[in-house]
Amino acid sequence: MNAPTSPDLRAALRRNGYAFVTADVMRGLLDAATLDDWSAFAASWNELGDDAYLAARGRHRRRRHAVFAAGADGTIHHEPHQPHYQSLAYNALQGDIERWFEPVAPAIADGASLQRILAFCRASFGALAPEVRQWRIEAHQFRIEARADEAGEPTPEGVHRDGVDYVLVLLVARENIERGTTTIHAPDGRELGQFTLARPFDAALVDDHRVFHGVTPVIPKDPGQAAHRDVLVVTFKAG
């Protein structure tokens, strides 16, 4: 499946190591009006399982996970379910362990919305690294919940790198949420930019070799109502 990409977006990633994309632009790049399964895709965040590894450290979020592979011809294959692994060098909170999460539901993993997003990433990141013949792709559905007595932590490990080549963070929904600003940092800690993913399809793209990223905690606008932030995170790594 082919997906359009933007020369301006690639130029920003080459120049700065990151790019923020507004919903209006991202919808056009994904041809979102043709994604007839988007409602079901977004609703699938209501079916995420608990992140038991994080709960063991006194924090809370929900997630599902899937792995794909993309070859030089652009074909994207859904791989068998497998664990997510990061070394301590990249995740001081949960590194050096295999973490098994509930899989992304097959209808979602193979559906038009996620496949279009993956194809867009392959086109964008592949243009930046044309020498890569094979990509390992991981897709993470995250729901961060906030309560009156406890802020939600989109990045409990703090400002970090993921240990991959490229990252896409795409907002799917925000319900009764304030804050949650994505920040980009140089290796020496200097802040290079910030952007709040506020509308569905707002996105951040990151060159993980060059910059670090994090997200500020989220709090409820109305403490008496349920509050959550839903994002899709897609990582691409050569090999």
Side-chain angles (χ1 to χ4, degrees):
M1 178 187 297
N2 293 320
T5 187
S6 165
D8 292 340
L9 177 59
R10 296 198 302 270
L13 278 164
R14 286 194 182 99
R15 182 176 62 251
N16 302 321
Y18 69 95
F20 296 130
V21 188
T22 63
D24 291 342
V25 172
M26 198 68 185
R27 286 180 61 86
L29 291 172
L30 295 174
D31 196 11
T34 69
L35 295 175
D36 55 10
D37 72 332
W38 179 264
S39 293
F41 177 72
S44 71
W45 265 254
N46 296 323
E47 306 299 328
L48 304 189
D50 287 333
D51 183 341
Y53 301 93
L54 196 60
R57 294 179 176 268
R59 294 172 167 87
H60 183 73
R61 68 182 169 198
R62 300 182 187 277
R63 69 190 295 176
R64 285 181 184 262
H65 172 249
V67 178
F68 301 83
D73 64 353
T75 303
I76 296 172
H77 300 282
H78 189 182
E79 297 286 280
H81 189 48
Q82 53 196 274
H84 175 54
Y85 178 85
Q86 291 174 295
S87 72
L88 280 170
Y90 293 104
N91 190 332
L93 189 65
Q94 298 178 297
D96 282 359
I97 57 174
E98 291 188 345
R99 288 180 286 164
W100 288 91
F101 302 109
E102 291 186 20
V104 174
I108 300 303
D110 300 326
S113 290
L114 185 55
Q115 289 296 313
R116 184 79 55 80
I117 292 164
L118 297 181
F120 162 79
C121 290
R122 186 204 56 76
S124 299
F125 302 147
L128 295 171
E131 73 283 359
V132 175
R133 310 304 295 171
Q134 185 78 16
W135 292 104
R136 174 184 170 85
I137 306 167
E138 295 190 55
H140 306 260
Q141 293 178 286
F142 285 108
R143 169 167 285 183
I144 306 302
E145 297 174 338
R147 301 177 176 88
D149 60 346
E150 184 180 17
E153 296 180 290
T155 52
E157 64 272 50
V159 174
H160 66 286
R161 292 165 56 207
D162 286 340
V164 296
D165 293 306
Y166 298 101
V167 182
L168 166 77
V169 183
L170 180 77
L171 185 72
V172 175
R174 281 174 67 108
E175 182 67 32
N176 189 34
I177 284 291
E178 292 186 322
R179 304 181 187 173
T181 296
T182 299
T183 60
I184 305 295
H185 301 259
D188 64 6
R190 289 178 298 113
E191 184 177 305
L192 302 175
Q194 61 172 257
F195 180 73
T196 300
L197 306 181
R199 296 186 297 159
F201 291 98
D202 278 348
L205 292 88
V206 175
D207 182 333
D208 197 56
H209 291 289
R210 294 174 56 192
V211 299
F212 289 63
H213 64 280
V215 184
T216 62
V218 295
I219 61 172
K221 290 181 180 178
D222 180 349
Q225 301 295 320
H228 61 258
R229 177 182 185 266
D230 294 348
V231 298
L232 174 73
V233 175
V234 177
T235 65
F236 269 59
K237 185 174 183 177

